[in-house]
Amino acid sequence: MTKVHPKFPNTCEESLCDSKEAIVLTVWKKSLLFNCDGFTVYNSNGDLVFRVDNYMNCPRDNIVLMDASGLPLLSIRRKRLSLGDCWMVYDAETQRDPIFMAKKNVGIKTNRRSLVSVSSKKTVLYEIEGSYSQRSCKILDERRNKKKTAEIKRKEAMVGGVTFGKDVFKLIVEPEMEPCVAMALTIILDQMFRS
């Protein structure tokens, strides 16, 4: 049977933040808890790195990204009474001074390839291009001439070319971006483009 998180030799360093190479994470759109909706994220060694557990009967307007032990890292909240789909990201479980916000790009004037704009204090930080439904997105750093800082790709098994469904995919994070920020943007994409 094909594993969701197979062990790959030498694909990333031991520490997520200290790596000089791209980090490859396996994202599984499934909670570890019964009767919950969420995400389970593994590193290339098969170790649990991040998790999201939302109870099915709770509103999805407030999502907490946790580390493997359950400590909150980032809170992701839908901005109420805004034009369009807009999400605010806060440190841990605070509710003031968002780190950044992500807004769904809609309309004629926007770049047709751009799905989401990510900004902080009216400065555009990232643009996300591609198709989340096809699990093919690039997170581009606007401050570095649209340099790719993270990418979402479909995951294929190493044996026999078997592809996983859309619930299992890769998140490749370059050293310039924090993995928890890339995962927060992935969660926001899932909320905006949920099928």
Side-chain angles (χ1 to χ4, degrees):
M1 181 172 164
T2 304
K3 292 183 180 180
V4 170
H5 53 85
K7 297 185 185 241
F8 297 106
N10 300 324
T11 52
C12 82
E13 301 283 330
E14 289 295 316
S15 172
L16 284 178
C17 295
D18 297 336
S19 178
K20 303 284 187 235
E21 298 175 16
I23 297 167
V24 180
L25 301 173
T26 298
V27 180
W28 188 12
K29 194 170 164 0
K30 181 167 178 55
S31 172
L32 291 175
L33 300 178
F34 177 72
N35 202 23
C36 282
D37 181 31
F39 290 90
T40 306
V41 183
Y42 300 97
N43 66 11
S44 60
N45 295 324
D47 300 322
L48 181 65
V49 179
F50 302 122
R51 58 186 252 213
V52 173
D53 302 312
N54 290 323
Y55 291 100
M56 294 287 197
N57 58 356
C58 292
R60 294 184 180 151
D61 291 351
N62 185 15
I63 300 166
V64 178
L65 175 65
M66 299 176 284
D67 66 8
S69 63
L71 294 174
L73 299 172
L74 297 172
S75 291
I76 305 161
R77 294 190 178 95
R78 183 188 300 267
K79 186 175 180 183
R80 298 189 188 267
L81 302 174
S82 68
L83 297 172
D85 205 356
C86 186
W87 291 78
M88 310 295 280
V89 178
Y90 300 89
D91 186 32
E93 291 186 287
T94 63
Q95 289 191 0
R96 55 183 126 99
D97 299 327
I99 301 168
F100 61 85
M101 73 176 227
K103 187 169 183 169
K104 186 176 187 179
N105 287 336
V106 292
I108 300 169
K109 292 185 177 182
T110 60
N111 180 352
R112 290 182 186 252
R113 293 181 304 181
S114 179
L115 300 172
V116 176
S117 288
V118 181
S119 60
S120 175
K121 298 178 181 159
K122 300 194 180 195
T123 302
V124 178
L125 304 174
Y126 304 105
E127 288 287 331
I128 304 175
E129 295 181 350
S131 170
Y132 181 73
S133 64
Q134 297 298 313
R135 303 303 186 257
S136 177
C137 295
K138 293 179 183 174
I139 300 172
L140 307 173
D141 192 336
E142 288 291 316
R143 299 161 297 174
R144 294 187 173 126
N145 285 337
K146 294 191 175 266
K147 182 178 188 276
K148 180 177 70 174
T149 56
E151 187 172 13
I152 296 170
K153 286 183 159 185
R154 300 219 35 180
K155 184 170 177 82
E156 293 185 15
M158 298 305 287
V159 179
V162 176
T163 57
F164 291 100
K166 291 182 181 178
D167 288 348
V168 178
F169 53 94
K170 293 190 294 188
L171 176 60
I172 303 162
V173 185
E174 298 296 329
E176 298 86 22
M177 181 175 242
E178 290 184 47
C180 63
V181 171
M183 189 59 212
L185 293 174
T186 302
I187 294 166
I188 291 169
L189 282 170
D190 187 70
Q191 293 299 310
M192 289 180 175
F193 301 99
R194 185 178 284 256
S195 53

